[in-house]
């Protein structure tokens, strides 16, 4: 990746033995577009970065795991500002050109002595780290690092987009605990970058759920430094359309990895609602099914209980006519006209649910609205992981 450097160190922010403090640095002035949590309770780094990213430019990102620095009051704000200031000074940057992100336990003050010791080694190792190191450093209950790459071309000049993400629990982004950072050496118009990224986030991170929880720290951003020296990519052009498609494809792949790594998950499920009165209705119904604890536990138990699904659709708030609804597990029709398709369907549907990945299609037969949401099942391990999270 041209014009970017990365590093990660072990600062023992929560406990020793793992990378937990990371830095992304652009050698060139860069454009930035960002989307943050819609939770009204927001962590100090979200508040600071939201304000700084409004001007559409940045040079660096400091991120830690192990401590969310959320609900930490004035001291949390002061500590976040100090971490940013010391890092910016070590990089020779104004404070405003550095963004901050955190993930981890809510309500605990940052261990500032460990941050202070970690910042200079972090900067010193910029020539030796990788984006994969950063992806590893931002993990909490994740079981694997999530990283994706896409290649594009503008005006005959090739460029790359790389992205990383973390998240396994507290996942229902409304822009879950979820962080995602993209870097590209493409030269991109700032206004177009902002609109294209927001659209891509809405079709990816806003279309997944593990447990219906939206974090205080959700942050997704893309930094474009133009090091590829391509003609500037703008909206309303073939190059812009191609860049937009690459963004969406990369983010959707990362989003699906988050669901597949959902805490305790044993199933990856696409909930697709079609035939809705509107696209908004389709998404409302899909999210209701995807977040239903009864549905998710049925998936875990491989119980072809389509009744839980139609019940969730009915209470979702979407327009529904019971006698129109059709439900499929992959290609198996479980219900048609709102009525059970019979014992053979039950047996075939159970076989579908025994797979690690499958699709539930709900046809409301009311219009052309359509949406997909990606979710996981709910297992015993989800309870165990979250019961022991702070220990």
């Amino acid at each position: 990746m041209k014009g970017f450097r990365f590093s990660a160190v072990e600062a023992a922010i929560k406990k020793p033995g793992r990378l937990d403090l990371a830095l992304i640095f652009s050698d060139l002035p860069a454009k930035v577009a960002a989307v943050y949590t819609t939770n009204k309770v927001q962590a100090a780094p979200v508040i600071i970065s939201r304000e700084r990213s409004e001007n559409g430019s940045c040079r660096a990102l400091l991120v830690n795991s192990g401590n969310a620095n959320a609900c930490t009051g004035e001291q949390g704000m002061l500590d976040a500002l100090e971490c940013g200031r010391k890092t910016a000074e070590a990089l020779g940057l104004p404070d405003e050109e550095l963004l901050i992100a955190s993930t981890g336990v809510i309500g605990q003050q940052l261990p500032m002595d460990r941050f202070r010791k970690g910042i200079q080694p972090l900067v010193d190792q910029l020539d030796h780290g990788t984006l994969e190191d950063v992806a590893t450093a931002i993990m909490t209950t994740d079981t694997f690092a999530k990283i994706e790459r896409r290649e594009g071309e503008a005006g005959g000049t090739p460029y790359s987009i790389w992205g990383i993400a973390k998240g396994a629990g507290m996942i229902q982004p409304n822009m879950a605990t979820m962080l995602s950072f993209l870097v590209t050496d493409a030269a991109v118009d700032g206004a177009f970058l902002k609109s294209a990224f927001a659209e891509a986030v809405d079709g990816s991170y806003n279309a997944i759920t593990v447990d219906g929880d939206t974090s205080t720290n959700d942050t997704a951003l893309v930094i474009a430094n133009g090091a590829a020296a391509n003609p500037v990519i703008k909206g309303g052009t073939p190059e812009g359309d191609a860049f937009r498609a690459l963004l969406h494809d990369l983010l959707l792949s990362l989003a699906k990895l988050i669901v597949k790594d959902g805490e305790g998950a044993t199933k990856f499920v696409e909930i697709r609602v079609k035939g809705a009165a509107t696209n908004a209705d389709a998404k409302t119904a899909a999210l209701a099914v995807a977040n239903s604890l009864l549905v998710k536990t049925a998936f875990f138990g491989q119980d072809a209980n389509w009744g839980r699904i139609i019940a969730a659709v009915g209470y979702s708030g979407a327009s529904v006519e019971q006698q129109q609804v059709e439900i499929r597990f992959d290609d198996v029709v479980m219900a048609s006209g709102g009525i059970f398709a019979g014992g053979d369907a039950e047996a075939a549907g159970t076989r579908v649910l025994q797979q690690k990945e499958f699709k539930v299609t709900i046809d409301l037969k009311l219009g052309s609205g359509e949406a997909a949401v990606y979710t996981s099942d709910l297992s015993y391990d989800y309870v165990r992981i979250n019961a022991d999270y702070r220990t």
Side-chain angles (χ1 to χ4, degrees):
M1 171 64 66
K2 295 180 181 178
F4 285 98
R5 289 183 281 165
F6 313 96
S7 65
V9 299
E10 177 192 327
I13 293 169
K14 183 179 179 183
K15 55 187 176 183
R18 50 166 287 175
L19 299 174
D20 55 10
L21 185 63
L23 184 63
I24 295 174
F25 177 71
S26 172
D27 293 319
L28 302 171
K31 305 287 186 184
V32 67
V35 183
Y36 301 95
T37 183
T38 59
N39 194 323
K40 292 181 180 178
V41 177
Q42 298 183 0
V46 167
I47 295 169
I48 293 167
S49 292
R50 187 192 299 275
E51 180 179 350
R52 290 183 178 178
S53 62
E54 276 297 311
N55 67 9
S57 64
C58 84
R59 289 284 300 279
L61 169 71
L62 176 70
V63 56
N64 73 272
S65 61
N67 188 306
N69 194 11
C71 303
T72 47
E74 182 180 357
Q75 188 59 51
M77 288 291 291
L78 293 173
D79 288 345
L81 288 168
E82 180 185 340
C83 291
R85 181 173 62 254
K86 289 185 177 297
T87 306
E89 287 175 356
L91 293 168
L93 300 176
D95 291 4
E96 292 73 19
E97 293 191 12
L98 182 137
L99 303 183
I100 309 165
S102 299
T103 184
V105 178
I106 294 171
Q108 296 183 359
Q109 300 292 340
L110 292 178
M112 288 302 292
D113 56 331
R114 301 175 192 177
F115 269 86
R116 294 183 186 110
K117 291 177 182 177
I119 287 172
Q120 193 58 55
L122 190 66
V123 173
D124 291 343
Q125 292 182 33
L126 269 175
D127 290 327
H128 306 289
T130 66
L131 187 58
E132 188 168 0
D133 293 333
V134 180
T136 301
I138 63 177
M139 292 166 55
T140 51
T141 58
D142 304 62
T143 63
F144 61 88
K146 301 164 182 68
I147 185 165
E148 290 282 334
R149 176 183 181 178
R150 298 292 184 273
E151 303 291 333
E153 184 178 292
T157 302
Y159 64 82
S160 299
I161 310 173
W162 287 77
I164 61 173
K166 66 84 46 179
M170 196 178 269
I171 300 294
Q172 182 176 285
N174 286 308
M175 4 162 107
T177 302
M178 196 213 89
L179 302 177
S180 179
F181 312 124
L182 276 63
V183 291
T184 177
D185 53 10
V188 188
D189 173 74
F192 170 66
L193 183 68
K194 184 176 181 179
S195 65
F197 187 64
E199 181 182 302
V201 166
D202 195 51
S204 56
Y205 294 138
N206 285 355
I208 61 172
T209 180
V210 169
D211 47 24
D213 269 281
T214 296
S215 169
T216 56
N217 289 60
D218 291 345
T219 300
L221 60 84
V222 56
I223 303 172
N225 69 4
N230 59 279
V232 176
I233 299 171
K234 299 180 179 181
T237 66
E239 291 81 6
D241 292 342
F243 182 83
R244 189 191 301 270
L246 286 174
L247 268 186
H248 179 266
D249 186 59
L250 187 151
L251 287 181
L252 185 58
S253 291
L254 288 172
K256 289 180 178 180
L257 289 177
I258 289 174
V259 176
K260 290 179 180 181
D261 197 26
E263 290 172 344
T266 70
K267 310 288 184 184
F268 174 82
V269 189
E270 177 183 342
I271 308 293
R272 181 167 294 275
V273 174
K274 65 179 186 177
T278 65
N279 288 340
D281 260 15
K283 190 164 187 179
T284 295
L287 278 170
V289 173
N291 280 323
S292 167
L293 299 183
L294 290 177
V295 171
K296 291 165 75 70
T297 50
F299 289 159
F300 174 64
Q302 301 173 5
D303 176 10
N305 193 338
W306 65 273
R308 293 180 175 182
I309 293 172
I310 197 169
V313 171
Y315 68 61
S316 68
S319 295
V320 178
E321 293 181 11
Q322 177 180 335
Q323 67 275 18
Q324 299 285 349
V325 179
E326 179 183 279
I327 298 173
R328 292 176 179 262
F329 292 174
D330 281 350
D331 294 328
V332 177
V333 177
M334 298 300 302
S336 181
I339 298 173
F340 182 37
D344 289 345
E346 175 93 12
T350 299
R351 289 193 292 273
V352 170
L353 267 57
Q354 290 170 352
Q355 302 171 143
K356 289 186 176 180
E357 298 187 17
F358 54 86
K359 179 165 68 173
V360 174
T361 303
I362 304 154
D363 191 346
L364 300 182
K365 300 184 183 296
L366 294 177
S368 59
E370 188 167 353
V373 169
Y374 305 90
T375 192
S376 58
D377 59 345
L378 189 65
S379 71
Y380 307 128
D381 276 346
Y382 179 87
V383 177
R384 179 188 57 78
I385 291 167
N386 284 283
D388 295 339
Y389 179 65
R390 295 203 305 162
T391 58

